[in-house]
Amino acid sequence: MSEKTKSENLEILASDVRACRLCIEKPQKKPLPHMPRPVLQVSATARLCICGQAPGTRVHKSGRPFTDPSGDRLRDWMGIGENVFYDAGRLAIVPMGFCFPGLDAKGGDLPPRPECRNTWHDRLFAAMPQLELILVIGQYAQAYHLGAARRKTLTETVTGWRDYFEASPQPGKPVVLPLPHPSWRNNAWLKKNPWFESELLPVLRREVARLV
């Protein structure tokens, strides 16, 4: 398959994702409480991918990934600005849920919609074999990309980041680096785990600079 064919197939697939209405037309649980607005960023040339949870209210309004304080912190962690972050040719963004899932009774975001993972994720990643590194943010992304290798808690998984990052990658599979969510709600976690800033972030920034 030529590089051009790969790109065309990915473009068609991404267009299908953006037009997806499964969560209201054929939902696997209670329908999405608002009109879908799938958000993703993909290309056949990006070597780095971010896989997080799902868009929040601000991203749902903007239609662009990480247009919120979490995005500001994530870009700071990565050591890049918006010009690189939103360059699809260099950076892919594939959240576990493409649409804002709605809020729970306490005002927090609901889990990512299952329709996204079950319908689209395997196909999207198969269409981007050029990916070399995937940043997996939060428990849902870690469950998908790490499978049985994921540890019992997010903290244990992120603490063991070297085991995933330094492991010999499977042929044709990208390296996976687990991260906590960059939400400001995780300030306490970051204070309790200073090794994240001193040990993991330098590696993250080095790899981002190499790949983008």
Side-chain angles (χ1 to χ4, degrees):
M1 182 181 293
S2 69
E3 290 299 320
K4 182 179 179 181
T5 302
K6 288 179 184 177
S7 177
E8 289 173 346
N9 286 347
L10 180 59
E11 289 173 4
I12 293 171
L13 184 57
S15 179
D16 290 343
V17 172
R18 293 187 176 99
C20 181
R21 298 294 182 268
L22 287 174
C23 52
I24 58 173
E25 295 175 355
K26 296 181 180 179
Q28 295 182 17
K29 55 180 184 178
K30 188 177 179 180
L32 192 71
H34 48 260
M35 287 301 296
R37 191 178 192 184
V39 177
L40 75 162
Q41 177 174 298
V42 295
S43 76
T45 57
R47 296 190 293 161
L48 174 64
C49 180
I50 297 170
C51 185
Q53 183 163 301
T57 54
R58 295 190 184 188
V59 174
H60 180 69
K61 292 179 180 178
S62 72
R64 202 178 191 197
F66 287 103
T67 51
D68 52 23
S70 294
D72 294 337
R73 172 173 271 175
L74 178 58
R75 286 183 283 273
D76 179 65
W77 285 355
M78 298 171 70
I80 58 175
E82 290 188 359
N83 61 321
V84 174
F85 191 83
Y86 291 114
D87 184 346
R90 293 191 277 180
L91 178 66
I93 303 175
V94 183
M96 292 309 301
F98 295 116
C99 293
F100 170 53
L103 301 175
D104 61 23
K106 296 182 179 179
D109 290 358
L110 290 168
R113 297 290 306 193
E115 296 87 354
C116 300
R117 171 177 176 169
N118 296 341
T119 307
W120 301 113
H121 280 70
D122 289 354
R123 297 164 63 187
L124 280 168
F125 285 106
M128 293 190 288
Q130 82 284 352
L131 291 177
E132 297 181 28
L133 176 65
I134 300 179
L135 309 180
V136 287
I137 300 173
Q139 60 175 326
Y140 295 100
Q142 291 166 12
Y144 176 76
H145 288 283
L146 296 176
R150 181 176 64 124
R151 300 183 181 179
K152 291 182 178 180
T153 66
L154 183 144
T155 296
E156 290 177 7
T157 300
V158 178
T159 300
W161 64 272
R162 289 186 181 85
D163 294 337
Y164 309 111
F165 179 73
E166 297 175 358
S168 298
Q170 299 179 17
K173 296 290 185 179
V175 174
V176 174
L177 182 62
L179 300 174
H181 197 282
S183 168
W184 298 100
R185 294 180 180 180
N186 277 343
N187 285 349
W189 186 94
L190 294 169
K191 289 181 180 179
K192 292 180 180 178
N193 297 276
W195 55 265
F196 175 77
E197 183 172 352
S198 62
E199 299 176 20
L200 196 158
L201 285 190
V203 174
L204 171 63
R205 289 168 180 160
R206 182 194 71 202
E207 288 299 294
V208 170
R210 179 179 70 86
L211 293 169
V212 303

